[in-house]
Amino acid sequence: IATDGLPTDDYGNAGANHKSEFVDAIRSLEGLPVWMVFRLCTVNDAVVEFYNGLDSQLEMSVEVILDFVSEAKEIDVQNKWLNYTLPLHR
């Protein structure tokens, strides 16, 4: 799922109830053989914090991918030998 913001309704209104509905919708996939990947197209702290927090709220695999440089730095901490290039990121 690619996104640049927080969950909203059809009119672009965001709020706690929209976040809760979104989490409930994702939670309905628990138990299925799926792995959720969220590609964030923003560096807005509130958006990044919300999607990073999904992993602790759900009992399923959730991966949040930020921009290329942030991902490369995160990978480098764990795997110094891996050259994280744009083809891997895409």
Side-chain angles (χ1 to χ4, degrees):
I1 298 174
T3 185
D4 65 351
L6 296 169
T8 62
D9 63 13
D10 293 339
Y11 303 103
N13 300 315
N17 59 330
H18 298 101
K19 290 179 188 177
S20 178
E21 288 175 10
F22 179 81
V23 171
D24 290 343
I26 299 299
R27 188 173 283 126
S28 70
L29 300 173
E30 290 178 347
L32 298 175
V34 296
W35 183 16
M36 298 295 297
V37 177
F38 295 95
R39 180 179 291 270
L40 301 185
C41 306
T42 183
V43 293
N44 180 293
D45 290 338
V47 174
V48 172
E49 186 176 307
F50 172 74
Y51 286 99
N52 279 333
L54 285 179
D55 198 26
S56 64
Q57 296 180 48
L58 302 171
E59 294 181 21
M60 62 186 295
S61 295
V62 175
E63 180 67 31
V64 178
I65 298 176
L66 300 172
D67 63 284
F68 171 69
V69 174
S70 296
E71 289 301 310
K73 288 178 181 177
E74 187 175 322
I75 300 260
D76 185 60
V77 169
Q78 300 297 321
N79 295 305
K80 295 277 185 208
W81 58 270
L82 180 64
N83 185 11
Y84 189 77
T85 60
L86 278 174
L88 287 175
H89 185 70
R90 291 181 180 151

